[in-house]
Amino acid sequence: MSKPQMKSRSYTEILEIIGAWVLAVLWISPLLYAFWAAFHPSEYSTNFELLAPLTLDNFREALSQAPFLRYGINTFLLVTMLLAAQLVVGTLAAYAFARFRFFGSNVAFGLVLVQLMITPEILIVENYSTLAKLGFVDTITGIGLPYMASAFGIFLLRQAFKSTPKDLEDAARLEGCGLFGILMRVYVPLARPTYLAFGLVSISHHWNNFLWPLVITNSVETRPLTVGLGIFGAPESGVDWSIVSAATLLSVAPLLIAFLLFQRQFVQSFMYAGIK
Amino acid sequence: MRHVHGWLLLTPAAILLVSFTHYPTIATVINSFFSKGNSVRPSRFIGLGNYEAMTQDPIFWKVLFNNMWFALGTIPTSIGLAIIMALAVNRAMPGRSFVRMAYFTPTILPMIAVANIWLFFYSPDIGLIDQITGWFGFSSHNWLGDPDTVLSSIIVMTVWKEAGFFMIFYLAALQHIPPELGEAAKLEGASRWYYFRRVVFPLLMPTTLFVLINAVLNSFKLVDHLFVLTKGGPDNASNLLLYYIFENAFSYFDTNYAATLTVVLLGLLAVMALVQFFVLDRRIHYR
């Protein structure tokens, strides 16, 4: 980035930059406010004194009122298990669509894409009764099952595999690779950016997902962070604002920190995934 | 042989998709033709009975209109803001990465957390908005408790959450516009507004259509905030279709009526899919 050259800027440009800054401060302020409330005693939650005493009591209180650590572990298990399943299922299916012109492949691909529109949250009623029949209600696997085949992942990986030069596959075949070897040695390594993009989108989506986990879980052992927070923050529970803010920050912290550290990758992944 | 291999590779995905997307879609349609069963009277086929009940259900029409107002309130505003944000950060300026980060961060937060934070802003008397308006002598207002302001309050919060997400697609599109166009416009003496209106905005059209479809889908699928903020109230003034489906299925245990409402939602999504297929895919050619 070149150094800002103040002299060459016109007044309108300077005004626009100030405008952009004002909007940025406005945009980040709700989050900054949550930090303020969480780190100060509750009597300062609307009293912005610069020298107000800092405290961690709100976090301690939130952790003692609800098992956020356990919720965090549940969320972590959910997103890792789900991503692993999505990648395996998606890779196999994408390989089939990209490299095997099998009978009915076009119709099958169309049927896969249906899930881009009809996402599992719309079918909560039927999926709940299916999972009840299978005995997966209130399990972490149960939260993940409807999402394990991701049309979006299959679509992205198919695009990536299709753009892999066929020559590489032929070379690998001459070297004696089987179908599976070709997939693992040629297609998967070359699609690494796609895997990264899909991985980040999937993790952030499922870290934040709420409606379906709410429907399918009903115990501390399975509830992810969002559901735990949703129950905790319900107005009728009458908890202090500062404690709710602390709980909110606890729930978003892992993803928020990951985002701040790997901002570029996150933004590029979302962009890449959206444009495809 | 390639047929066998193809289908074998597809099997895991096919089983999962059929079980959790195709089968439940069909089951939803079938269930919508049956009455609500209980221990005394089992569920039976009643044809279009549920649909007739639905057209006479004032709450159904209310949530449908709410959904429409919610979409109309959030989408144009977030798209407009997204374009402004993208234009703002698409140039060299001090603190550019902070500004971009500030715009994008709400996107990464779960809607539930966002609702928790905003709930405090909106609460009467002690809430932040009331405190600030109080300094200027305005009386306190129950933003989420008043049927006239509740939907707008939720719209404002959703715009805050979504604009930064749409910004990144515009940013990507802006970076693909050749700078020569801007230089040429300058040489011709075109004003910046004219350049934006006649050159940049039309070039952003494919992005706008893409974002538009996504935003419409989101407005039907995202109801998480209602659980924290209003539970659809007061008097269903902020209730949305998917939340009403949830209420019918899991609070009133009328899964057949929930299925009927889901069919309406599926129908709306089908219309959008057709729009996307016939309008969008004709115009967008990224690769």
Side-chain angles (χ1 to χ4, degrees):
Chain A
M1 195 70 19
S2 64
K3 269 191 188 168
Q5 296 160 328
M6 275 308 176
K7 264 187 189 160
S8 64
R9 289 190 192 281
S10 68
Y11 282 113
T12 37
E13 251 185 303
I14 292 169
L15 275 180
E16 280 170 15
I17 289 171
I18 292 171
W21 268 87
V22 170
L23 189 63
V25 170
L26 193 70
W27 228 245
I28 199 76
S29 58
L31 192 62
L32 290 183
Y33 171 74
F35 274 93
W36 173 275
F39 283 102
H40 290 96
S42 54
E43 58 267 32
Y44 291 97
S45 55
T46 52
N47 185 0
F48 303 104
E49 277 176 41
L50 265 184
L51 296 172
L54 291 167
T55 175
L56 288 174
D57 283 351
N58 298 320
F59 291 93
R60 227 170 277 137
E61 199 53 37
L63 284 170
S64 75
Q65 286 181 14
F68 281 104
L69 206 61
R70 175 73 220 204
Y71 295 156
I73 295 170
N74 295 339
T75 295
F76 181 78
L77 289 175
L78 171 69
V79 294
T80 39
M81 184 193 67
L82 188 50
L83 181 60
Q86 284 178 332
L87 291 181
V88 173
V89 172
T91 302
L92 295 179
Y95 189 38
F97 285 126
R99 277 302 174 243
F100 299 84
R101 309 194 77 231
F102 57 90
F103 177 73
S105 57
N106 284 333
V107 175
F109 190 59
L111 285 172
V112 167
L113 293 186
V114 166
Q115 200 213 30
L116 288 180
M117 277 290 162
I118 307 177
T119 51
E121 39 268 25
I122 286 160
L123 300 165
I124 42 176
V125 184
E126 284 304 321
N127 279 341
Y128 181 83
S129 73
T130 306
L131 286 182
K133 281 176 208 146
L134 297 172
F136 277 113
V137 170
D138 204 23
T139 60
I140 293 180
T141 321
I143 311 175
L145 261 173
Y147 294 97
M148 280 181 185
S150 160
F152 180 56
I154 295 172
F155 178 75
L156 282 186
L157 288 170
R158 170 182 167 271
Q159 297 284 97
F161 291 169
K162 274 195 143 178
S163 63
T164 305
K166 191 95 175 156
D167 305 352
L168 291 173
E169 181 182 336
D170 297 337
R173 189 170 289 133
L174 285 176
E175 298 277 331
C177 280
L179 283 177
F180 198 66
I182 293 172
L183 175 64
M184 294 312 287
R185 303 246 176 92
V186 178
Y187 286 107
V188 172
L190 285 170
R192 196 176 292 157
T194 307
Y195 281 103
L196 179 72
F198 175 69
L200 287 179
V201 172
S202 165
I203 289 171
S204 27
H205 183 255
H206 291 286
W207 193 286
N208 295 343
N209 200 12
F210 174 76
L211 184 59
W212 171 246
L214 172 77
V215 166
I216 200 75
T217 60
N218 49 35
S219 69
V220 167
E221 282 70 34
T222 54
R223 221 172 258 154
L225 277 169
T226 44
V227 178
L229 184 64
I231 296 168
F232 188 78
E236 60 268 20
S237 64
V239 224
D240 202 277
W241 285 114
S242 311
I243 299 170
V244 173
S245 296
T248 305
L249 289 186
L250 281 175
S251 315
V252 302
L255 195 63
L256 193 62
I257 292 168
F259 165 67
L260 293 176
L261 290 177
F262 305 106
Q263 231 190 98
R264 187 167 284 275
Q265 283 86 341
F266 266 90
V267 172
Q268 277 172 355
S269 298
F270 276 94
M271 228 181 268
Y272 180 82
I275 287 167
K276 277 294 164 70
Chain B
M1 211 43 209
R2 62 169 205 263
H3 301 297
V4 180
H5 282 142
W7 276 105
L8 273 180
L9 288 166
L10 193 59
T11 304
I15 291 173
L16 285 163
L17 283 168
V18 168
S19 317
F20 298 111
T21 300
H22 304 118
Y23 160 75
T25 305
I26 295 163
T28 301
V29 175
I30 293 173
N31 276 339
S32 71
F33 295 126
F34 283 82
S35 69
K36 179 189 181 184
N38 55 35
S39 51
V40 191
R41 281 188 311 172
S43 173
R44 62 188 174 81
F45 182 80
I46 50 164
L48 293 173
N50 286 323
Y51 291 91
E52 272 165 36
M54 182 175 73
T55 54
Q56 269 142 49
D57 175 8
I59 303 178
F60 164 70
W61 292 109
K62 182 145 203 179
V63 298
L64 206 60
F65 276 102
N66 282 346
N67 243 127
M68 196 189 75
W69 287 120
F70 180 66
L72 283 176
T74 49
I75 298 168
T77 327
S78 9
I79 289 182
L81 267 168
I83 295 178
I84 292 173
M85 287 170 166
L87 289 169
V89 297
N90 187 40
R91 63 160 144 212
M93 66 180 221
R96 191 175 94 127
S97 54
F98 164 76
V99 172
R100 196 180 43 195
M101 189 268 293
Y103 294 161
F104 188 73
T105 303
T107 296
I108 215 82
L109 303 173
M111 200 60 173
I112 273 292
V114 169
N116 262 339
I117 298 173
W118 283 72
L119 179 59
F120 179 62
F121 295 166
Y122 286 137
S123 57
D125 298 324
I126 56 160
L128 205 59
I129 293 179
D130 264 12
Q131 299 255 342
I132 292 170
T133 53
W135 296 337
F136 298 102
F138 292 99
S139 59
S140 93
H141 185 78
N142 190 351
W143 298 94
L144 297 174
D146 179 346
D148 292 333
T149 52
V150 62
L151 202 57
S152 323
S153 304
I154 289 176
I155 287 170
V156 170
M157 186 193 80
T158 311
V159 168
W160 177 74
K161 164 107 170 98
E162 284 193 331
F165 182 59
F166 300 148
M167 170 195 75
I168 58 172
F169 302 114
Y170 283 110
L171 201 49
L174 284 176
Q175 283 162 2
H176 281 106
I177 295 178
E180 295 83 39
L181 287 179
E183 283 153 23
K186 210 174 260 174
L187 282 178
E188 297 284 334
S191 73
R192 288 175 63 211
W193 169 238
Y194 186 84
Y195 170 64
F196 173 77
R197 207 160 43 89
R198 303 305 293 266
V199 181
V200 177
F201 190 70
L203 284 172
L204 292 178
M205 216 48 206
T207 313
T208 304
L209 288 171
F210 165 82
V211 166
L212 193 66
I213 285 282
N214 263 294
V216 174
L217 286 180
N218 262 353
S219 72
F220 282 103
K221 285 177 185 171
L222 199 62
V223 295
D224 300 359
H225 47 290
L226 297 183
F227 287 87
V228 166
L229 291 177
T230 61
K231 305 236 182 287
D235 193 21
N236 291 302
S238 65
N239 208 343
L240 300 176
L241 188 52
L242 186 55
Y243 191 81
Y244 191 46
I245 291 172
F246 171 88
E247 281 187 318
N248 271 290
F250 299 102
S251 305
Y252 316 143
F253 301 103
D254 190 348
T255 49
N256 297 92
Y257 190 49
T260 313
L261 295 166
T262 308
V263 171
V264 174
L265 185 50
L266 289 171
L268 289 167
L269 294 175
V271 170
M272 273 181 269
L274 291 176
V275 169
Q276 182 167 36
F277 190 76
F278 287 109
V279 182
L280 269 179
D281 289 358
R282 297 273 160 90
R283 299 197 194 180
I284 300 185
H285 295 288
Y286 283 107
R287 297 202 81 159

